[in-house]
Amino acid sequence: MSSQSLTDSASAAFPAAAELPLVFDGHNDLAWACREHHDYRVDGVGTGLPDLHTDLPRLRAGRVGGQFWSVWVDDEALHGAEQVTATLEQIDFVHRLAAQYPDDLQLARTAAEARQAMQRGRIASLIGIEGGDQIDESLGVLRSYARLGARYMTLTWAQTIPWADSSTDEPRSHGLSEFGREVVAEMNRIGMLVDLAHVSDATMSDALDASTLPVLVSHSGARALCDHPRNVPDELIRRIGASGGVHMVAFVPSFVSQARRDWVIGGEQGEPPMVTVADVADHIEHVRDLAGVDAVGIGADYDGTGSMPSGLDDVSGYPRLLAELADRGWSHADLDKVAHENVLRVLEASDANHLAFLAGER
């Protein structure tokens, strides 16, 4: 089925879809999924990848206008220089993907370039590094990633690293080490957004103290609604909003639903509890209510987890979520903010530093 026919079918499924804003999603793991299942090939992305959550026809059906493509490395399986190699391979994948489909994708670095791509009917494609271990404790590697187009880095993944604690591992530094603060300072200097998904509460607090520019949380939920260590507690959600940052809500069922989280902890016995679009909308509204409508975005984590909520099974489902928010009384202006304006504002706050770095002025 063509991209256009899928878009038409989406509009039929969601009568107001054409009036809904384009989505700029904070986190998608297509690069690693294509490494694992398609030997880094890009040719099938245009026609359809039914074994994955993501392909171009479904991105178009989902009204995706911008995407941070996650560049993730399994830090339990790969170490040191192996992680750097795998990171570079995935950055290469994103570049090849955009080159293969120039009518659909456009590489972008800045908010202005992303807006231009969206206005041209392209999906603005940016890169995010998902784990500070991927720099192999080298600021030179960090800078090299930035030169290749990476605009954010998640300070940790699931494992605590020598300079930052993860939310799902034992602490070493009880937040950021001195080198960790140097990493945050260098990210600010070169205009690379500090991503606080995956990190411990102490690391998050230290990074908020250290960063002079707005941060993002690329894909997490609200801990008050689902008690998962990957989710953000209320006091830190408020701090993220007060500092001008954006918390992008993930769709991962065990981050969204306490019943689903309890089922996982209990050994996944029997049928999994249903997780719905409404559950995700509850997290979005919780962040809004705590930190304001300027502080919330969408970072689904497609192809980074096995299952997704009913109605959000793949990247074609975003209109269902926006329609749910519209039904709850969200204005067009506020839907624009959650869908793309907030993340573009946070990106733009670091753009001048990034461009100056690329020009050799910083």
PDB file of all heavy atoms in Angstrom, residues 122-153:
ATOM      1  N   ARG A 122       8.427  16.991   4.388  1.00  0.00           N
ATOM      2  CA  ARG A 122       9.387  15.960   4.733  1.00  0.00           C
ATOM      3  C   ARG A 122       9.321  15.692   6.239  1.00  0.00           C
ATOM      4  O   ARG A 122       8.884  16.537   7.017  1.00  0.00           O
ATOM      5  CB  ARG A 122      10.819  16.373   4.377  1.00  0.00           C
ATOM      6  CG  ARG A 122      11.016  16.899   2.978  1.00  0.00           C
ATOM      7  CD  ARG A 122      10.758  15.857   1.898  1.00  0.00           C
ATOM      8  NE  ARG A 122      11.309  16.272   0.614  1.00  0.00           N
ATOM      9  CZ  ARG A 122      10.635  16.929  -0.320  1.00  0.00           C
ATOM     10  NH1 ARG A 122       9.363  17.279  -0.091  1.00  0.00           N
ATOM     11  NH2 ARG A 122      11.201  17.243  -1.463  1.00  0.00           N
ATOM     12  N   ILE A 123       9.799  14.533   6.643  1.00  0.00           N
ATOM     13  CA  ILE A 123       9.928  14.210   8.056  1.00  0.00           C
ATOM     14  C   ILE A 123      11.322  14.637   8.503  1.00  0.00           C
ATOM     15  O   ILE A 123      12.327  14.080   8.057  1.00  0.00           O
ATOM     16  CB  ILE A 123       9.715  12.709   8.308  1.00  0.00           C
ATOM     17  CG1 ILE A 123       8.305  12.290   7.878  1.00  0.00           C
ATOM     18  CG2 ILE A 123       9.945  12.372   9.786  1.00  0.00           C
ATOM     19  CD1 ILE A 123       8.090  10.783   7.853  1.00  0.00           C
ATOM     20  N   ALA A 124      11.373  15.674   9.337  1.00  0.00           N
ATOM     21  CA  ALA A 124      12.654  16.155   9.848  1.00  0.00           C
ATOM     22  C   ALA A 124      13.316  15.050  10.661  1.00  0.00           C
ATOM     23  O   ALA A 124      12.709  14.497  11.578  1.00  0.00           O
ATOM     24  CB  ALA A 124      12.446  17.399  10.702  1.00  0.00           C
ATOM     25  N   SER A 125      14.554  14.730  10.327  1.00  0.00           N
ATOM     26  CA  SER A 125      15.239  13.591  10.931  1.00  0.00           C
ATOM     27  C   SER A 125      16.469  14.063  11.689  1.00  0.00           C
ATOM     28  O   SER A 125      17.430  14.568  11.089  1.00  0.00           O
ATOM     29  CB  SER A 125      15.642  12.589   9.844  1.00  0.00           C
ATOM     30  OG  SER A 125      14.484  12.020   9.259  1.00  0.00           O
ATOM     31  N   LEU A 126      16.410  13.905  13.004  1.00  0.00           N
ATOM     32  CA  LEU A 126      17.513  14.274  13.878  1.00  0.00           C
ATOM     33  C   LEU A 126      17.997  13.028  14.611  1.00  0.00           C
ATOM     34  O   LEU A 126      17.339  11.989  14.590  1.00  0.00           O
ATOM     35  CB  LEU A 126      17.079  15.361  14.871  1.00  0.00           C
ATOM     36  CG  LEU A 126      16.736  16.724  14.246  1.00  0.00           C
ATOM     37  CD1 LEU A 126      15.265  16.797  13.866  1.00  0.00           C
ATOM     38  CD2 LEU A 126      17.065  17.850  15.217  1.00  0.00           C
ATOM     39  N   ILE A 127      19.152  13.136  15.257  1.00  0.00           N
ATOM     40  CA  ILE A 127      19.788  11.984  15.879  1.00  0.00           C
ATOM     41  C   ILE A 127      19.971  12.240  17.368  1.00  0.00           C
ATOM     42  O   ILE A 127      20.384  13.334  17.768  1.00  0.00           O
ATOM     43  CB  ILE A 127      21.163  11.709  15.224  1.00  0.00           C
ATOM     44  CG1 ILE A 127      20.986  11.335  13.743  1.00  0.00           C
ATOM     45  CG2 ILE A 127      21.916  10.602  15.963  1.00  0.00           C
ATOM     46  CD1 ILE A 127      22.281  11.328  12.952  1.00  0.00           C
ATOM     47  N   GLY A 128      19.662  11.219  18.172  1.00  0.00           N
ATOM     48  CA  GLY A 128      19.920  11.268  19.604  1.00  0.00           C
ATOM     49  C   GLY A 128      20.719  10.051  20.038  1.00  0.00           C
ATOM     50  O   GLY A 128      20.405   8.925  19.651  1.00  0.00           O
ATOM     51  N   ILE A 129      21.779  10.266  20.814  1.00  0.00           N
ATOM     52  CA  ILE A 129      22.599   9.179  21.339  1.00  0.00           C
ATOM     53  C   ILE A 129      21.965   8.689  22.639  1.00  0.00           C
ATOM     54  O   ILE A 129      21.770   9.472  23.561  1.00  0.00           O
ATOM     55  CB  ILE A 129      24.042   9.657  21.622  1.00  0.00           C
ATOM     56  CG1 ILE A 129      24.652  10.336  20.397  1.00  0.00           C
ATOM     57  CG2 ILE A 129      24.906   8.512  22.132  1.00  0.00           C
ATOM     58  CD1 ILE A 129      24.872   9.441  19.216  1.00  0.00           C
ATOM     59  N   GLU A 130      21.671   7.379  22.731  1.00  0.00           N
ATOM     60  CA  GLU A 130      20.947   6.882  23.914  1.00  0.00           C
ATOM     61  C   GLU A 130      21.890   6.187  24.889  1.00  0.00           C
ATOM     62  O   GLU A 130      21.790   4.987  25.118  1.00  0.00           O
ATOM     63  CB  GLU A 130      19.818   5.938  23.517  1.00  0.00           C
ATOM     64  CG  GLU A 130      18.911   5.645  24.704  1.00  0.00           C
ATOM     65  CD  GLU A 130      17.827   4.637  24.425  1.00  0.00           C
ATOM     66  OE1 GLU A 130      17.833   4.023  23.345  1.00  0.00           O
ATOM     67  OE2 GLU A 130      16.963   4.461  25.299  1.00  0.00           O
ATOM     68  N   GLY A 131      22.784   6.942  25.499  1.00  0.00           N
ATOM     69  CA  GLY A 131      23.609   6.361  26.540  1.00  0.00           C
ATOM     70  C   GLY A 131      24.987   6.977  26.595  1.00  0.00           C
ATOM     71  O   GLY A 131      25.760   6.923  25.624  1.00  0.00           O
ATOM     72  N   GLY A 132      25.327   7.563  27.741  1.00  0.00           N
ATOM     73  CA  GLY A 132      26.607   8.226  27.881  1.00  0.00           C
ATOM     74  C   GLY A 132      27.796   7.291  27.797  1.00  0.00           C
ATOM     75  O   GLY A 132      28.922   7.734  27.507  1.00  0.00           O
ATOM     76  N   ASP A 133      27.595   5.995  28.033  1.00  0.00           N
ATOM     77  CA  ASP A 133      28.693   5.048  27.901  1.00  0.00           C
ATOM     78  C   ASP A 133      29.212   4.990  26.468  1.00  0.00           C
ATOM     79  O   ASP A 133      30.341   4.548  26.216  1.00  0.00           O
ATOM     80  CB  ASP A 133      28.240   3.660  28.354  1.00  0.00           C
ATOM     81  CG  ASP A 133      29.343   2.847  29.008  1.00  0.00           C
ATOM     82  OD1 ASP A 133      30.298   3.462  29.537  1.00  0.00           O
ATOM     83  OD2 ASP A 133      29.262   1.616  29.006  1.00  0.00           O
ATOM     84  N   GLN A 134      28.396   5.454  25.525  1.00  0.00           N
ATOM     85  CA  GLN A 134      28.751   5.388  24.110  1.00  0.00           C
ATOM     86  C   GLN A 134      29.844   6.392  23.722  1.00  0.00           C
ATOM     87  O   GLN A 134      30.365   6.313  22.605  1.00  0.00           O
ATOM     88  CB  GLN A 134      27.509   5.585  23.243  1.00  0.00           C
ATOM     89  CG  GLN A 134      26.538   4.415  23.345  1.00  0.00           C
ATOM     90  CD  GLN A 134      25.184   4.661  22.705  1.00  0.00           C
ATOM     91  OE1 GLN A 134      24.147   4.520  23.359  1.00  0.00           O
ATOM     92  NE2 GLN A 134      25.166   5.034  21.444  1.00  0.00           N
ATOM     93  N   ILE A 135      30.201   7.311  24.622  1.00  0.00           N
ATOM     94  CA  ILE A 135      31.332   8.193  24.319  1.00  0.00           C
ATOM     95  C   ILE A 135      32.646   7.602  24.817  1.00  0.00           C
ATOM     96  O   ILE A 135      33.714   8.176  24.570  1.00  0.00           O
ATOM     97  CB  ILE A 135      31.138   9.621  24.881  1.00  0.00           C
ATOM     98  CG1 ILE A 135      31.167   9.640  26.410  1.00  0.00           C
ATOM     99  CG2 ILE A 135      29.868  10.249  24.318  1.00  0.00           C
ATOM    100  CD1 ILE A 135      31.211  11.046  27.017  1.00  0.00           C
ATOM    101  N   ASP A 136      32.614   6.475  25.520  1.00  0.00           N
ATOM    102  CA  ASP A 136      33.809   5.801  26.018  1.00  0.00           C
ATOM    103  C   ASP A 136      34.682   6.757  26.836  1.00  0.00           C
ATOM    104  O   ASP A 136      35.911   6.767  26.718  1.00  0.00           O
ATOM    105  CB  ASP A 136      34.604   5.206  24.855  1.00  0.00           C
ATOM    106  CG  ASP A 136      35.614   4.149  25.291  1.00  0.00           C
ATOM    107  OD1 ASP A 136      35.462   3.612  26.409  1.00  0.00           O
ATOM    108  OD2 ASP A 136      36.555   3.880  24.515  1.00  0.00           O
ATOM    109  N   GLU A 137      33.999   7.570  27.671  1.00  0.00           N
ATOM    110  CA  GLU A 137      34.657   8.524  28.567  1.00  0.00           C
ATOM    111  C   GLU A 137      35.573   9.503  27.817  1.00  0.00           C
ATOM    112  O   GLU A 137      36.621   9.915  28.330  1.00  0.00           O
ATOM    113  CB  GLU A 137      35.425   7.799  29.666  1.00  0.00           C
ATOM    114  CG  GLU A 137      34.513   6.971  30.567  1.00  0.00           C
ATOM    115  CD  GLU A 137      35.232   6.395  31.764  1.00  0.00           C
ATOM    116  OE1 GLU A 137      35.732   7.185  32.599  1.00  0.00           O
ATOM    117  OE2 GLU A 137      35.305   5.157  31.857  1.00  0.00           O
ATOM    118  N   SER A 138      35.161   9.895  26.610  1.00  0.00           N
ATOM    119  CA  SER A 138      35.961  10.804  25.796  1.00  0.00           C
ATOM    120  C   SER A 138      35.121  11.977  25.319  1.00  0.00           C
ATOM    121  O   SER A 138      34.134  11.789  24.589  1.00  0.00           O
ATOM    122  CB  SER A 138      36.524  10.067  24.578  1.00  0.00           C
ATOM    123  OG  SER A 138      37.060  10.978  23.629  1.00  0.00           O
ATOM    124  N   LEU A 139      35.498  13.182  25.697  1.00  0.00           N
ATOM    125  CA  LEU A 139      34.796  14.372  25.195  1.00  0.00           C
ATOM    126  C   LEU A 139      35.042  14.549  23.706  1.00  0.00           C
ATOM    127  O   LEU A 139      34.212  15.120  22.992  1.00  0.00           O
ATOM    128  CB  LEU A 139      35.236  15.611  25.969  1.00  0.00           C
ATOM    129  CG  LEU A 139      34.882  15.630  27.460  1.00  0.00           C
ATOM    130  CD1 LEU A 139      35.349  16.934  28.096  1.00  0.00           C
ATOM    131  CD2 LEU A 139      33.387  15.434  27.688  1.00  0.00           C
ATOM    132  N   GLY A 140      36.170  14.055  23.206  1.00  0.00           N
ATOM    133  CA  GLY A 140      36.421  14.104  21.772  1.00  0.00           C
ATOM    134  C   GLY A 140      35.427  13.260  20.992  1.00  0.00           C
ATOM    135  O   GLY A 140      34.964  13.666  19.916  1.00  0.00           O
ATOM    136  N   VAL A 141      35.075  12.089  21.525  1.00  0.00           N
ATOM    137  CA  VAL A 141      34.054  11.260  20.876  1.00  0.00           C
ATOM    138  C   VAL A 141      32.706  11.961  20.927  1.00  0.00           C
ATOM    139  O   VAL A 141      31.957  11.976  19.938  1.00  0.00           O
ATOM    140  CB  VAL A 141      33.992   9.867  21.535  1.00  0.00           C
ATOM    141  CG1 VAL A 141      32.806   9.066  21.005  1.00  0.00           C
ATOM    142  CG2 VAL A 141      35.295   9.107  21.288  1.00  0.00           C
ATOM    143  N   LEU A 142      32.376  12.565  22.061  1.00  0.00           N
ATOM    144  CA  LEU A 142      31.136  13.338  22.174  1.00  0.00           C
ATOM    145  C   LEU A 142      31.070  14.403  21.092  1.00  0.00           C
ATOM    146  O   LEU A 142      30.056  14.544  20.387  1.00  0.00           O
ATOM    147  CB  LEU A 142      31.062  13.978  23.563  1.00  0.00           C
ATOM    148  CG  LEU A 142      29.892  14.938  23.805  1.00  0.00           C
ATOM    149  CD1 LEU A 142      28.593  14.170  23.954  1.00  0.00           C
ATOM    150  CD2 LEU A 142      30.151  15.791  25.051  1.00  0.00           C
ATOM    151  N   ARG A 143      32.143  15.165  20.943  1.00  0.00           N
ATOM    152  CA  ARG A 143      32.162  16.228  19.930  1.00  0.00           C
ATOM    153  C   ARG A 143      32.049  15.654  18.516  1.00  0.00           C
ATOM    154  O   ARG A 143      31.395  16.236  17.649  1.00  0.00           O
ATOM    155  CB  ARG A 143      33.426  17.065  20.079  1.00  0.00           C
ATOM    156  CG  ARG A 143      33.449  17.933  21.332  1.00  0.00           C
ATOM    157  CD  ARG A 143      34.620  18.884  21.336  1.00  0.00           C
ATOM    158  NE  ARG A 143      35.900  18.205  21.542  1.00  0.00           N
ATOM    159  CZ  ARG A 143      36.472  17.997  22.728  1.00  0.00           C
ATOM    160  NH1 ARG A 143      35.857  18.418  23.851  1.00  0.00           N
ATOM    161  NH2 ARG A 143      37.635  17.391  22.833  1.00  0.00           N
ATOM    162  N   SER A 144      32.663  14.507  18.295  1.00  0.00           N
ATOM    163  CA  SER A 144      32.577  13.884  16.974  1.00  0.00           C
ATOM    164  C   SER A 144      31.140  13.476  16.647  1.00  0.00           C
ATOM    165  O   SER A 144      30.681  13.654  15.513  1.00  0.00           O
ATOM    166  CB  SER A 144      33.506  12.668  16.911  1.00  0.00           C
ATOM    167  OG  SER A 144      34.855  13.057  17.049  1.00  0.00           O
ATOM    168  N   TYR A 145      30.434  12.925  17.630  1.00  0.00           N
ATOM    169  CA  TYR A 145      29.029  12.596  17.406  1.00  0.00           C
ATOM    170  C   TYR A 145      28.233  13.853  17.040  1.00  0.00           C
ATOM    171  O   TYR A 145      27.375  13.831  16.145  1.00  0.00           O
ATOM    172  CB  TYR A 145      28.414  11.958  18.649  1.00  0.00           C
ATOM    173  CG  TYR A 145      28.919  10.589  19.016  1.00  0.00           C
ATOM    174  CD1 TYR A 145      28.756  10.118  20.324  1.00  0.00           C
ATOM    175  CD2 TYR A 145      29.532   9.752  18.095  1.00  0.00           C
ATOM    176  CE1 TYR A 145      29.184   8.850  20.694  1.00  0.00           C
ATOM    177  CE2 TYR A 145      29.974   8.483  18.462  1.00  0.00           C
ATOM    178  CZ  TYR A 145      29.805   8.039  19.759  1.00  0.00           C
ATOM    179  OH  TYR A 145      30.233   6.790  20.121  1.00  0.00           O
ATOM    180  N   ALA A 146      28.500  14.949  17.747  1.00  0.00           N
ATOM    181  CA  ALA A 146      27.784  16.193  17.466  1.00  0.00           C
ATOM    182  C   ALA A 146      28.064  16.671  16.045  1.00  0.00           C
ATOM    183  O   ALA A 146      27.153  17.138  15.347  1.00  0.00           O
ATOM    184  CB  ALA A 146      28.180  17.269  18.477  1.00  0.00           C
ATOM    185  N   ARG A 147      29.305  16.558  15.603  1.00  0.00           N
ATOM    186  CA  ARG A 147      29.628  16.978  14.225  1.00  0.00           C
ATOM    187  C   ARG A 147      28.899  16.123  13.191  1.00  0.00           C
ATOM    188  O   ARG A 147      28.612  16.587  12.088  1.00  0.00           O
ATOM    189  CB  ARG A 147      31.139  16.898  14.000  1.00  0.00           C
ATOM    190  CG  ARG A 147      31.937  17.937  14.776  1.00  0.00           C
ATOM    191  CD  ARG A 147      33.408  17.927  14.379  1.00  0.00           C
ATOM    192  NE  ARG A 147      34.166  18.853  15.221  1.00  0.00           N
ATOM    193  CZ  ARG A 147      34.875  18.491  16.285  1.00  0.00           C
ATOM    194  NH1 ARG A 147      34.925  17.206  16.639  1.00  0.00           N
ATOM    195  NH2 ARG A 147      35.531  19.386  16.995  1.00  0.00           N
ATOM    196  N   LEU A 148      28.605  14.879  13.546  1.00  0.00           N
ATOM    197  CA  LEU A 148      27.899  13.976  12.634  1.00  0.00           C
ATOM    198  C   LEU A 148      26.380  14.131  12.706  1.00  0.00           C
ATOM    199  O   LEU A 148      25.664  13.416  12.012  1.00  0.00           O
ATOM    200  CB  LEU A 148      28.285  12.529  12.944  1.00  0.00           C
ATOM    201  CG  LEU A 148      29.738  12.156  12.622  1.00  0.00           C
ATOM    202  CD1 LEU A 148      30.059  10.774  13.160  1.00  0.00           C
ATOM    203  CD2 LEU A 148      29.987  12.207  11.117  1.00  0.00           C
ATOM    204  N   GLY A 149      25.904  15.044  13.550  1.00  0.00           N
ATOM    205  CA  GLY A 149      24.476  15.341  13.555  1.00  0.00           C
ATOM    206  C   GLY A 149      23.726  15.000  14.825  1.00  0.00           C
ATOM    207  O   GLY A 149      22.521  15.253  14.912  1.00  0.00           O
ATOM    208  N   ALA A 150      24.392  14.430  15.829  1.00  0.00           N
ATOM    209  CA  ALA A 150      23.692  14.097  17.077  1.00  0.00           C
ATOM    210  C   ALA A 150      23.371  15.369  17.847  1.00  0.00           C
ATOM    211  O   ALA A 150      24.261  16.169  18.124  1.00  0.00           O
ATOM    212  CB  ALA A 150      24.535  13.167  17.932  1.00  0.00           C
ATOM    213  N   ARG A 151      22.110  15.550  18.229  1.00  0.00           N
ATOM    214  CA  ARG A 151      21.696  16.758  18.934  1.00  0.00           C
ATOM    215  C   ARG A 151      21.283  16.500  20.373  1.00  0.00           C
ATOM    216  O   ARG A 151      21.044  17.450  21.112  1.00  0.00           O
ATOM    217  CB  ARG A 151      20.560  17.465  18.186  1.00  0.00           C
ATOM    218  CG  ARG A 151      20.983  18.229  16.941  1.00  0.00           C
ATOM    219  CD  ARG A 151      22.075  19.284  17.179  1.00  0.00           C
ATOM    220  NE  ARG A 151      21.804  20.153  18.306  1.00  0.00           N
ATOM    221  CZ  ARG A 151      21.113  21.298  18.240  1.00  0.00           C
ATOM    222  NH1 ARG A 151      20.593  21.683  17.091  1.00  0.00           N
ATOM    223  NH2 ARG A 151      20.947  22.051  19.308  1.00  0.00           N
ATOM    224  N   TYR A 152      21.130  15.257  20.784  1.00  0.00           N
ATOM    225  CA  TYR A 152      21.003  15.004  22.222  1.00  0.00           C
ATOM    226  C   TYR A 152      21.772  13.759  22.591  1.00  0.00           C
ATOM    227  O   TYR A 152      22.104  12.924  21.745  1.00  0.00           O
ATOM    228  CB  TYR A 152      19.547  14.948  22.685  1.00  0.00           C
ATOM    229  CG  TYR A 152      18.700  13.706  22.438  1.00  0.00           C
ATOM    230  CD1 TYR A 152      19.027  12.456  22.958  1.00  0.00           C
ATOM    231  CD2 TYR A 152      17.489  13.803  21.744  1.00  0.00           C
ATOM    232  CE1 TYR A 152      18.216  11.341  22.779  1.00  0.00           C
ATOM    233  CE2 TYR A 152      16.674  12.691  21.549  1.00  0.00           C
ATOM    234  CZ  TYR A 152      17.045  11.466  22.062  1.00  0.00           C
ATOM    235  OH  TYR A 152      16.237  10.360  21.882  1.00  0.00           O
ATOM    236  N   MET A 153      22.063  13.659  23.885  1.00  0.00           N
ATOM    237  CA  MET A 153      22.616  12.423  24.431  1.00  0.00           C
ATOM    238  C   MET A 153      21.932  12.131  25.755  1.00  0.00           C
ATOM    239  O   MET A 153      21.851  12.994  26.637  1.00  0.00           O
ATOM    240  CB  MET A 153      24.120  12.491  24.642  1.00  0.00           C
ATOM    241  CG  MET A 153      24.694  11.138  25.132  1.00  0.00           C
ATOM    242  SD  MET A 153      26.492  11.085  25.200  1.00  0.00           S
ATOM    243  CE  MET A 153      26.787  12.065  26.689  1.00  0.00           C
TER     244      MET A 153
END
